[in-house]
Each structure stands twice: as structure tokens, then as C-alpha cells.
Amino acid sequence: MPGRNFLFVPGPTNVPERILRAMDRAMEDHRSSAFPELGTGVLRDLRQVFKTTTGQPFVFPATGTGGWEAALVNTLSPGDRLIAPRYGQFSHLWIDLAQRHGMRVDIIDVEWGEGAPSDRIGEILSQDKQHEIKGILIVHNETATGVTSDVGAVRAAIDAAQHPALLYVDGVSSIGSIDFRMDEWKVDLAITGSQKGLMLPAGLGIVCASPKALAAREQAKCPRVFFDFGDMIRSNATGYFPYTPSIPMLYGLRESLAILSEQGLDNVFARHQRLAEGVRAAARAWGLKLCAKAPKWYSNTVSAIMMPEGANGADVIDVAFRRYNLALGAGLARMAGKLFRIGHLGDLNELMLLGAIAGAEMAMRDVGIQVTPGTGVAAAAEHYRSTAAPLPARPGATPSPDPQTAPGAKPAVPPRAAVRA
Ligand code: PLP
């Protein structure tokens, strides 16, 4: 199909040219004396993305799932009791992983479309006088439903109950795109993957561990080899890895961290919020609901758009892909067919999203969903236009007022005749 593919699944996300070029290089000796500059640099700079000064990052050749496993097996023993709210497919899968390692998980089932119930978590912890509960598993951004939970509120509930359990947070679809504060929220194990906010291909499972989490290793009896923090700590101390790292991924990660630092994390979060608001405006204009039940749960990285009665989200996704070269996210597990998802994270801007919104609108009409043509696109476009940042100055020009907003200002673009002359 001519033209480019529009990748709007909530991960993998678009890989910027800069990262592709940084990754496009010959292999190197990962035991050379030059290698530690790369290894040490990425491990140091990763801390900024987690917003931690005391946490220790670990980079595994894995994915987010590997990050989940690494976090658990290094800090827990089979039989340990955990609590975990379940509000989507990813919280479900993490619980399943813990159970397969022999952990006892008290599952708090929450309606899909809502997030972590911090009050309920606080109640359970305050009843656990013997401190049997060793950890709390929270998925910060539930990618399956487009719901972001308030990790700060969960931390406040843990502190109010004066409970020593470790706080495990899956930030796979939030870290690098939605504000995440490891130190402030006293997160003990924070997990992400490379293929979302970090704008890389899949292939890295990244975990950041607090000093308390590192200390928990002493008691943790789960078998661990590939994911052993101890082996990593020993090798990383000199800038190396205990086994062969993916050289292109590490160069890509270095570039990704440089891009995020140049853009400024807070600007990156604000861009994601603004882009997400445009998608939500489109959904409203179509007369469609989000899976997220209330604005406080709205995710700035993925919107799950509910299908009207009788319509199948899988048909929309299929037509969007085959006819318009647009990849939308599917409804997962119990949400299969009931929704489609637009991922809006990573290296994205307004016009890219408008393309996706237009494609989704066309595909919905193609399968018989009665949305009014142009309404979603118009709503999002107006949102982006009306909230646009002031025009950046032309390179070398003296600062001038924004021609759109300055009272009585002449257009900044000279008339055509003047250009010809
Ligand atoms: N957690 C969340 C919130 C996710 O969205 C995903 C994947 O999309 C995962 C965990 C699993 O990550 P991976 O597919 O990289 O193993």
C-alpha cells in the first residue's frame, strides 16, 4: 500500500528517525574498555525518567513482562501474600504471573474502566496487623481500558495504614509519557518496557528498584538467574552487563533519553495531555463513550472507545488496517469487540493524530456505525488549534507578536506580490 502506515496501537509506538539512526550501527565488543561509557550513561540517565535519585535502574533484554517477573522474583518468596486490584488485561496478567511463581494474591476486582481503589487498599492493609502482606501491585496506566490510577493516593493509603509492604508499580504505558514520580510516591519497584514512551522497538524490560526493594532481596527465595538483580549489580558497577546486551537497543535508549531530556519531561507530559484531550473531544463529537468511567481515570496515552450496541470494534480495526493502512488497538479479553483503542503516546503530533482520527471515523462509517462525517476530526482539530502554543520565532528574527492574536497585527506572511518582487 503506498504511503506510510499509521501506527496507533498503544505500543509499539513510532520510533523517531533520530533513534533509528542511532541504532543503525555495526556491532561492538560489549567487553571492550570503551563499552562502559554507554552502559554507565544509560543507567545514570534512566533515573531522570523514573524521577528518582535513590532508585537503581536495571535494563534486561526482555519486555515489560520480563520487568514484572524481575521485580517479583528478586524481592519475594513463593507463598508470599500480595494484594492487587484487577481492572484490565494487564493487571490480570501480572497477577497471573505472580500466582505462577507461587505467590498468594488477594485480588480486588474492580469494574474495567475504573482504577486502583486506594481506600479499599488502605482498609485491607490496616486490617493486616501481622504485616503478612508483602506487596501491592498497581498498574499505573491500564493500557487495555485507557485508565490511569492515582499512585500517589495508593501511597498515601499505605502510609496511613503504617504498613511496610513494598509498592510495585507497572509504568509500562505511563513512564516517559505521563507524570511518574518514583521517589515522591515511594515506589519500590517501577517497571517499564522500551516500546512505548521511550519510543524504541520492544526488547528491553526496565526495572527501577528502591533501596528498600534492594534490601528485600536478602529474604527473597524465588529462584532467579537471568533476572537476578545481584548479577546485574555486580556487572553494572563497572558499566558492563552479565550477559550480551543488545548494542543497538542501548544506543537507541541513549538517544531516547537525550530526546526526552531536550524536550523536557514536563513538556512531554503536557503534549501527551493535549493530544489525548483532542482524541477525547473526537469521541464526544462522535457520541461515543470511553471505557474510562470518569474524567479522573482518563489516560493521556491511550483512549479506549466503546462501540455502540450491535457494532464490533474488531470490524473497525480490520477495515482501518486493510483499507486505510491505520493500525488501531483491539479490545482485549472481556473487552474484545466492545471497543477499539487509539494509542497516543511517544513520538506524535497533532496532525498525525488527526490522520488516525479521520481513519477511525471513516472505518466506523464503513462498518455501519452512524457517526457524522468530519465531526471527530473537527472537534480534535479545533481543540489542537485553540490550545496551540504561541508561534515559535522565525530563526534569526526579532521577537514579534503572534499575528493571529496581536490586536491589529499585520499578517506575518507577506502578500504574494511582495514575495514575487
Ligand atoms: N503492562 C502494561 C500496562 C502493558 O501495556 C503491557 C503491554 O502492552 C505490558 C505490561 C506487557 O508488556 P510487554 O508486552 O512488553 O511484555
Side-chain angles (χ1 to χ4, degrees):
M1 205 182 276
R4 47 164 293 211
N5 174 247
F6 274 62
L7 183 64
F8 282 87
V9 293
T13 63
N14 298 294
V15 181
E17 288 288 327
R18 251 178 84 175
I19 293 185
L20 287 173
R21 285 192 220 300
M23 295 178 66
D24 183 11
R25 50 196 302 153
M27 289 307 101
E28 293 170 17
D29 175 11
H30 60 288
R31 310 262 182 229
S32 80
S33 56
F35 182 81
E37 194 193 331
L38 175 63
T40 309
V42 294
L43 291 169
R44 178 195 61 226
D45 296 343
L46 263 173
R47 289 196 164 100
Q48 283 161 25
V49 177
F50 286 88
K51 289 202 180 163
T52 183
T53 53
T54 53
Q56 173 149 4
F58 296 95
V59 177
F60 293 100
T63 67
T65 305
W68 279 342
E69 182 154 345
L72 299 186
V73 297
N74 279 284
T75 51
L76 294 165
S77 306
D80 275 353
R81 190 173 157 206
L82 303 174
I83 55 175
R86 176 164 60 184
Y87 35 75
Q89 181 63 0
F90 293 102
S91 36
H92 167 74
L93 289 173
W94 198 10
I95 289 167
D96 176 58
L97 190 150
Q99 289 172 329
R100 290 205 232 168
H101 276 288
M103 288 143 204
R104 293 176 296 141
V105 190
D106 295 5
I107 302 169
I108 310 170
D109 267 310
V110 175
E111 198 181 345
W112 288 29
E114 296 184 2
S118 42
D119 295 353
R120 183 83 196 98
I121 291 168
E123 276 164 31
I124 297 173
L125 292 177
S126 19
Q127 284 157 17
D128 178 33
K129 301 286 181 224
Q130 306 302 319
H131 294 167
E132 237 195 60
I133 296 167
K134 299 289 177 236
I136 301 135
L137 310 188
I138 302 292
V139 174
H140 184 204
N141 188 74
E142 177 49 83
T143 323
T145 56
V147 162
T148 304
S149 286
D150 184 347
V151 179
V154 174
R155 165 48 67 194
I158 300 170
D159 286 353
Q162 297 186 322
H163 200 289
L166 294 171
L167 176 58
Y168 297 75
V169 181
D170 169 332
V172 173
S173 58
S174 62
I175 289 173
S177 326
I178 296 174
D179 199 3
F180 185 91
R181 306 175 186 190
M182 176 152 180
D183 284 359
E184 189 181 319
W185 297 335
K186 291 182 267 168
V187 173
D188 292 299
L189 280 307
I191 298 129
T192 193
S194 46
Q195 76 274 25
K196 306 212 186 224
L198 292 173
M199 307 169 286
L200 291 158
L204 300 178
I206 303 173
V207 183
C208 202
S210 72
K212 185 172 157 189
L214 293 178
R217 291 182 305 128
E218 305 301 321
Q219 281 77 46
K221 300 217 165 32
C222 279
R224 46 193 188 264
V225 180
F226 185 78
F227 287 124
D228 187 39
F229 283 174
D231 292 344
M232 273 288 180
I233 289 169
R234 278 185 289 282
S235 295
N236 287 173
T238 48
Y240 294 97
F241 288 84
Y243 33 70
T244 319
S246 165
I247 302 276
M249 287 299 283
L250 289 179
Y251 277 109
L253 179 57
R254 181 164 84 173
E255 197 66 19
S256 155
L257 296 171
I259 292 173
L260 289 172
S261 159
E262 285 161 28
Q263 294 183 349
L265 270 186
D266 288 341
N267 296 327
V268 171
F269 302 150
R271 171 169 57 85
H272 280 83
Q273 176 166 354
R274 194 166 149 269
L275 292 176
E277 280 164 356
V279 175
R280 295 195 279 265
R284 268 195 308 280
W286 290 327
L288 299 176
K289 289 200 165 63
L290 295 181
C291 181
K293 299 271 181 242
K296 68 171 176 175
W297 304 123
Y298 288 171
S299 163
N300 287 336
T301 56
V302 52
S303 294
I305 299 175
M306 300 302 294
M307 293 291 85
E309 209 43 50
N312 189 335
D315 295 338
V316 178
I317 294 165
D318 180 46
V319 170
F321 184 66
R322 287 194 292 137
R323 184 167 283 160
Y324 304 118
N325 210 1
L326 165 66
L328 297 168
L332 302 175
R334 74 168 73 157
M335 288 302 173
K338 294 190 177 148
L339 56 79
F340 69 81
R341 295 174 297 152
I342 300 183
H344 31 81
L345 72 163
D347 186 42
L348 277 186
N349 62 28
E350 299 90 335
L351 295 191
M352 291 161 81
L353 256 176
L354 286 173
I357 294 168
E361 195 169 281
M362 292 192 289
M364 282 194 283
R365 287 182 55 76
D366 288 349
V367 304
I369 299 174
Q370 299 298 314
V371 292
T372 311
T375 48
V377 178
E382 270 310 283
H383 176 76
Y384 296 145
R385 206 192 55 74
S386 62
T387 57
L391 272 182
R394 287 207 181 90
T398 46
S400 63
D402 186 333
Q404 275 179 317
T405 53
K410 295 219 169 68
V413 181
R416 264 170 186 278
V419 174
R420 277 197 213 103

